[in-house]
Amino acid sequence: MARIGLIGASTRVAAFVNALKKDFAEIHTICGIMDCDPGKMKGFCEVCNLDVPHYTDFEKFCGECKPEMVIITTVDCTHAEYLTACLDRKISCIVEKPLCISTEQCKDISDALKRNPEVFAVTSHNARYSPAFQEMKKIIDSGELGRIMRVEYTDMLDLMHGKSYFRRWNSRRKNSNGLELHKSTHHFDRLNYLLNSHAVEVIADGTLTAYGSNAPHKFEGIRCHECKHKDECPDYFEYDKKMFQSDMYTPDMCIYSPEIDIEDNFGAVIRFANGVLGTYSLCAHTQYEGESINVECEYGRLEMRDIYYRNQSEKNSIHGDELVFQHSLRMIKFRSGGYEDIPIPEITGSHSGADDALFARLFAEKRPDDLPTILDGMQAVLTGCAAVESIKTGRKVKVQPEWMEDK
């Protein structure tokens, strides 16, 4: 039985905890939790019904809990610090995306991997396991449509979900380096996985349009729960006080704060090592939620749609009630002139079943070979960093640093 420690009392790791308790309790046990915020740990453990020791000191956590594996879900900018420290202690690691937030942190992680090549470590890129995307991957890998010529990826965060990113710590670049890292590394990993390649060059542009101090707004404060405008502001948000029993941080920061310094709308043209040219865009203030992926091949085209039209009047929810959704995968064959709607397995669970598919791989007694490695996580981060740099400079940016050439 593996002893698993939690580094970070985040809402994201709650899904891991629930899976471990429900499906893997006979082979794994959660031995402790560490976070810089005692109140957040308290609320997290109460909500998740988790009775384990709490720690605010990393050395004490490692020394007393003696975890054999850790799940790292702290603030993005700290992932590399905890990952490298655990690798050097020979502790297996699962790291939530993004793996880290800079090329310098990627180099630190790469050096730690060289020192500890025998230690198991993966990046938690669950999005590659969604049923529709897995079907798309099977078709591409079969060679039925020939080689890929072009790919288009569009991600849309509706006004409810999009705002949630700007209420939280990740809206400050020092913590996350922007949605290009915090959100889009999921999608960059998908593209690399689909193409069996990695990005080599990026040119991008982006803006902060709907949030931050320059966006049109009538009311402004620091946090919703203590704001003098909370009774009249249409963007007032009630956070989960059971989960966040914290004196240090609450996820209800003002979405019009002048401290917000990341983009809410950006796009990139990406050239991959195998010659494929792709386009990618993300907008965090759209009228509906979802994504579309179009893959143009020699003999046909794949079109994936995962779109949700939701009730955005539910102000106290991140996701709201689903009203209508479009969930489809279509293959168009050029030679026959017809099309085929590909059946998508109906799988329940968070993130359209992608979470359960990842957990089944991570916590199996014998792990499969298709888990997203630390190198996969690094490649997604390097693509995001190149996009950020291109937006900042207005220039085309090479993705691969010199030290990655031997990978």
Side-chain angles (χ1 to χ4, degrees):
M1 178 176 282
R3 294 173 56 81
I4 297 180
L6 310 178
I7 301 180
S10 72
T11 52
R12 174 61 187 143
V13 80
F16 287 84
V17 170
N18 292 336
L20 284 166
K21 291 171 64 177
K22 177 177 177 286
D23 300 319
F24 304 99
E26 292 184 1
I27 54 176
H28 299 299
T29 184
I30 300 173
C31 60
I33 183 169
M34 194 216 87
D35 197 285
C36 64
D37 188 334
K40 194 178 176 188
M41 272 193 290
K42 180 177 182 293
F44 175 87
C45 288
E46 287 180 5
V47 169
C48 294
N49 193 26
L50 186 64
D51 184 15
V52 295
H54 297 189
Y55 297 88
T56 56
D57 181 85
F58 176 73
E59 296 293 337
K60 191 174 182 182
F61 165 75
C62 291
E64 293 186 4
C65 275
K66 296 180 170 52
E68 298 166 284
M69 174 184 284
V70 294
I71 304 172
I72 301 171
T73 61
T74 52
V75 172
D76 296 349
C77 61
T78 64
H79 288 182
E81 172 191 350
Y82 289 119
L83 171 59
T84 56
C86 288
L87 288 174
D88 285 337
R89 286 169 172 78
K90 310 300 181 184
I91 301 172
S92 298
C93 298
I94 300 169
V95 189
E96 178 58 10
K97 63 83 193 166
L99 176 67
C100 58
I101 66 166
S102 69
T103 55
E104 293 78 14
Q105 288 183 344
C106 282
K107 180 63 165 62
D108 292 341
I109 293 169
S110 178
D111 291 343
L113 289 173
K114 287 179 181 177
R115 295 192 298 270
N116 306 284
E118 75 282 10
V119 181
F120 172 77
V122 295
T123 312
S124 179
H125 281 302
N126 61 317
R128 61 163 67 178
Y129 299 114
S130 73
F133 191 77
Q134 282 288 304
E135 292 301 312
M136 177 177 272
K137 172 72 171 170
K138 289 177 187 175
I139 293 169
I140 292 296
D141 287 352
S142 74
E144 180 179 358
L145 299 180
R147 66 187 180 93
I148 296 176
M149 311 291 284
R150 173 184 169 83
V151 62
E152 305 162 353
Y153 199 131
T154 301
D155 191 61
M156 297 153 286
L157 303 172
D158 65 22
L159 294 173
M160 184 181 299
H161 193 185
K163 284 177 185 177
S164 74
Y165 291 97
F166 294 85
R167 303 186 196 279
R168 293 180 271 159
W169 54 261
N170 45 264
S171 62
R172 278 54 168 174
R173 191 169 298 280
K174 66 180 181 181
N175 295 327
S176 68
N177 206 5
L179 292 178
E180 296 89 341
L181 280 294
H182 184 76
K183 180 68 174 174
S184 298
T185 46
H186 259 330
H187 311 139
F188 297 147
D189 176 69
R190 271 183 161 187
L191 288 170
N192 291 340
Y193 178 59
L194 186 68
L195 301 176
N196 294 311
S197 190
H198 58 265
V200 294
E201 203 169 56
V202 172
I203 185 165
D205 200 1
T207 59
L208 179 59
T209 303
Y211 313 109
S213 60
N214 292 329
H217 63 285
K218 185 176 180 181
F219 305 109
E220 186 177 310
I222 298 175
R223 297 176 183 85
C224 285
H225 74 274
E226 59 188 15
C227 183
K228 63 182 180 181
H229 304 298
K230 64 182 181 180
D231 293 332
E232 52 187 338
C233 178
D235 294 306
Y236 172 74
F237 178 77
E238 187 77 29
Y239 70 92
D240 185 351
K241 292 182 176 62
K242 291 182 180 179
M243 175 70 82
F244 291 90
Q245 299 179 27
S246 173
D247 296 323
M248 298 174 62
Y249 167 76
T250 55
D252 65 338
M253 295 187 289
C254 182
I255 62 173
Y256 300 112
S257 169
E259 294 183 16
I260 293 174
D261 59 353
I262 67 171
E263 294 79 22
D264 59 22
N265 181 24
F266 56 89
V269 178
I270 306 171
R271 187 175 298 280
F272 293 86
N274 62 356
V276 173
L277 192 68
T279 60
Y280 173 84
S281 67
L282 180 146
C283 184
H285 47 85
T286 61
Q287 299 301 312
Y288 54 81
E289 174 90 5
E291 61 187 358
S292 67
I293 306 174
N294 300 320
V295 184
E296 202 80 24
C297 302
E298 282 183 288
Y299 313 128
R301 175 183 174 91
L302 285 171
E303 297 178 347
M304 191 185 99
R305 299 285 182 275
D306 194 6
I307 307 296
Y308 299 84
Y309 301 82
R310 300 192 290 207
N311 181 2
Q312 298 187 31
S313 66
E314 298 290 333
K315 294 197 301 180
N316 297 336
S317 169
I318 290 178
H319 298 291
D321 297 325
E322 296 173 6
L323 299 180
V324 180
F325 73 93
Q326 178 187 353
H327 193 49
S328 63
L329 177 60
R330 174 167 289 186
M331 178 168 59
I332 303 168
K333 296 183 177 180
F334 299 151
R335 289 176 173 174
S336 66
Y339 68 85
E340 178 184 354
D341 287 326
I342 307 300
I344 300 170
E346 293 186 11
I347 301 175
T348 59
S350 52
H351 295 105
S352 301
D355 279 351
D356 287 346
L358 175 63
F359 300 153
R361 290 166 167 81
L362 286 175
F363 302 127
E365 293 186 73
K366 183 177 181 181
R367 300 186 186 100
D369 296 330
D370 68 341
L371 279 167
T373 66
I374 294 297
L375 180 58
D376 292 334
M378 226 180 281
Q379 287 295 349
V381 166
L382 291 172
T383 307
C385 289
V388 170
E389 182 67 15
S390 181
I391 292 170
K392 179 181 177 181
T393 63
R395 298 196 300 267
K396 190 179 291 184
V397 175
K398 292 187 181 301
V399 174
Q400 304 298 317
E402 290 184 5
W403 53 266
M404 279 293 291
E405 291 179 358
D406 60 344
K407 298 293 181 185

